Amino acid sequence: MPSTVRDRTKEFFATINSFQTFNTIETVSNASKKKSFNDNDTTSPQYVEQSQRIHDLTLKIDANISNIAQKKLMHIEQLSTRSNNLNNLQSDINLLIIDVNEDLSHIDQNISYLSTVINNLDYWNNENCESHHKILLNQLIKKNEKLKSLYRSTYEIVINSMQRNKKQIQQFGTIKRPKKSIKSKKEFI
């Protein structure tokens, strides 16, 4: 039976060399010596609360983007492909489009608010946390741009569906269902 244990001595020495190269051993040892909360400590309750607020808002925005992309836009596409001269679903599609427009507006407002919070946050000289928050913000902005491009393509599908329905109406005419005649009581007597 072959042994699964391997010699990791070289990896250990490479890690030590890496730490020495970037002078992080001193940083790590100095950070471990700090145990107390002070105003410049990045683990203060106020700092943790601010970071948690950014985290919660980021999750909320991401969930909204995913909800719109997975549910609403797909539903609009399905309705537009099913819509025809006999089964006109344009009113449902219009309601969903209005709903998506409102959601996109709220997402833009939330991203703007998140950007303001990140820019106004006091990082106490913690560049890692600041860069992490800015990377999160950039990822959300990119996701939002992808959502908007998906919305544009979905909107084009809706426009094509409407044009197809218009051609069908021009070609076949509108289908007029016979009206039920309501006979007055006098006719029965």
Side-chain angles (χ1 to χ4, degrees), residues 26-173:
E26 294 173 5
T27 307
V28 170
S29 64
N30 289 339
S32 64
K33 290 178 185 175
K34 288 184 179 180
K35 298 281 182 174
S36 64
F37 288 115
N38 58 28
D39 291 338
N40 294 332
D41 192 3
T42 58
T43 57
S44 69
Q46 178 188 9
Y47 186 80
V48 171
E49 179 183 324
Q50 290 173 342
S51 201
Q52 184 64 37
R53 193 170 88 199
I54 289 172
H55 175 74
D56 292 342
L57 188 56
T58 303
L59 289 177
K60 177 183 173 186
I61 294 170
D62 186 53
N64 286 343
I65 290 173
S66 298
N67 180 38
I68 292 171
Q70 291 178 354
K71 293 181 181 175
K72 294 180 181 179
L73 292 181
M74 290 177 70
H75 191 61
I76 290 172
E77 285 183 31
Q78 290 171 351
L79 288 176
S80 64
T81 56
R82 288 189 339 210
S83 182
N84 57 33
N85 194 13
L86 296 173
N87 188 16
N88 192 353
L89 301 171
Q90 195 58 43
S91 61
D92 295 336
I93 293 170
N94 290 341
L95 290 175
L96 279 170
I97 286 175
I98 290 170
D99 192 32
V100 168
N101 283 334
E102 290 173 357
D103 288 342
L104 288 174
S105 174
H106 290 305
I107 288 172
D108 287 339
Q109 290 172 355
N110 285 339
I111 288 177
S112 174
Y113 175 71
L114 180 64
S115 175
T116 304
V117 168
I118 288 174
N119 290 333
N120 293 335
L121 186 64
D122 186 8
Y123 288 101
W124 295 292
N125 297 324
N126 187 343
E127 292 85 18
N128 290 336
C129 194
E130 181 179 11
S131 67
H132 173 70
H133 288 158
K134 289 186 178 183
I135 288 170
L136 281 175
L137 179 64
N138 288 335
Q139 290 298 320
L140 284 176
I141 290 171
K142 287 178 185 177
K143 251 185 151 177
N144 191 30
E145 291 302 318
K146 287 180 185 177
L147 177 66
K148 288 179 180 179
S149 79
L150 182 62
Y151 175 67
R152 282 190 287 275
S153 65
T154 302
Y155 196 74
E156 288 180 18
I157 290 171
V158 170
I159 297 295
N160 291 337
S161 171
M162 289 172 56
Q163 290 171 345
R164 185 186 70 231
N165 289 347
K166 183 178 178 182
K167 285 180 185 176
Q168 287 178 353
I169 289 172
Q170 289 173 349
Q171 183 179 3
F172 302 115

Side-chain angles (χ1 to χ4, degrees), residues 16-29:
I16 296 297
N17 286 336
S18 174
F19 274 114
Q20 288 173 343
T21 303
F22 296 109
N23 294 325
T24 55
I25 291 179
E26 294 173 5
T27 307
V28 170
S29 64

